Amino acid sequence: MNNTASSAPEPDAVVQEELTRLRESIDNIDAAVVHMLAERFKCTQQVGHLKARHHLPPADAQREARQIARLRQLAENAKLDPAFAEKLLNFIIAEVIRHHETIAGNTDGNTDGSDAADVG
């Protein structure tokens, strides 16, 4: 009989089925999160183009502060750690600002080759 740490007993079929079900749910949620982030970044790209065309700064500290407070409250209501939600939003905001700075570096606010009128 092999008693090494790498030979843990196999979970019974009921446990394995539940584990599979939960992991499939996690995978579906991860896919939804990615798609939602993609949609969010499509919108923030449009904001970046609009800001660039009107010579507005890439960052808006007041908006960011309002969004952080709003997201912290949403997190609390959802029983999610507000500090985690704030860290996540700060990461997203930093990426959005980076995109806006890149767009602003282009004189017409257009970095994707599309016509600026198509931005929305």
Side-chain angles (χ1 to χ4, degrees), residues 53-97:
R53 281 196 310 273
H54 295 280
H55 307 288
L56 298 170
D60 182 342
Q62 291 178 342
R63 163 88 173 147
E64 292 163 24
R66 286 192 309 270
Q67 285 296 93
I68 289 169
R70 182 177 150 283
L71 196 70
R72 286 183 67 90
Q73 185 62 54
L74 288 170
E76 286 179 27
N77 293 344
K79 308 293 188 238
L80 179 69
D81 179 5
F84 169 76
E86 183 174 347
K87 287 177 191 175
L88 177 62
L89 186 60
N90 280 328
F91 179 77
I92 292 169
I93 288 170
E95 186 67 8
V96 168
I97 291 170

Side-chain angles (χ1 to χ4, degrees), residues 34-44:
V34 167
H35 288 281
M36 292 300 296
L37 284 171
E39 286 300 311
R40 188 184 196 288
F41 278 104
K42 285 178 188 174
C43 291
T44 61

